[in-house]
Amino acid sequence: MVQAYILIQTEVGKASSVADMISKFSGVIQAEDVTGPYDVIVRAQADSVDELGRMVVAKIQGVDGITRTLTCPVVHL
C-alpha cells in the first residue's frame, strides 16, 4: 500500500468545493481545505505508485477549479 499527501492549489473561492468533491473519490482518506500556499491537502492511498499516479492525473487533476498539484509520497524510514 502506498500513501501520499497531495497538495493542491485552486482558483479563488474553489477550495471548499474541490475538497468536497475529492473526498468522495475511492482511495482518498481525507481532503481538507487549508490556509497557506496550498488551498487543499489530500491524504490518499493506492496499491501501487502507478495506481496512485493514475488517481492524481485521471481523477484529481480533472476536478474543476484545480490549478496545480504536488504529490508527496509517504516514506517509512
Side-chain angles (χ1 to χ4, degrees), residues 42-56:
V42 174
R43 175 114 184 203
Q45 66 183 13
D47 289 330
S48 68
V49 172
D50 289 339
E51 186 179 319
L52 180 66
R54 283 191 290 274
M55 177 194 316
V56 172

Side-chain angles (χ1 to χ4, degrees), residues 6-72:
I6 304 159
L7 312 177
I8 301 172
Q9 292 178 336
T10 68
E11 296 172 3
V12 174
K14 297 276 187 160
S16 183
S17 64
V18 165
D20 286 343
M21 181 170 283
I22 291 174
S23 69
K24 297 174 182 151
F25 291 166
S26 176
V28 170
I29 298 167
Q30 193 170 19
E32 295 188 296
D33 38 325
V34 297
T35 60
Y38 294 94
D39 304 303
V40 176
I41 297 179
V42 174
R43 175 114 184 203
Q45 66 183 13
D47 289 330
S48 68
V49 172
D50 289 339
E51 186 179 319
L52 180 66
R54 283 191 290 274
M55 177 194 316
V56 172
V57 173
K59 292 182 178 179
I60 293 176
Q61 289 181 351
V63 173
D64 185 50
I66 291 179
T67 58
R68 181 171 294 172
T69 64
L70 175 65
T71 303
C72 304

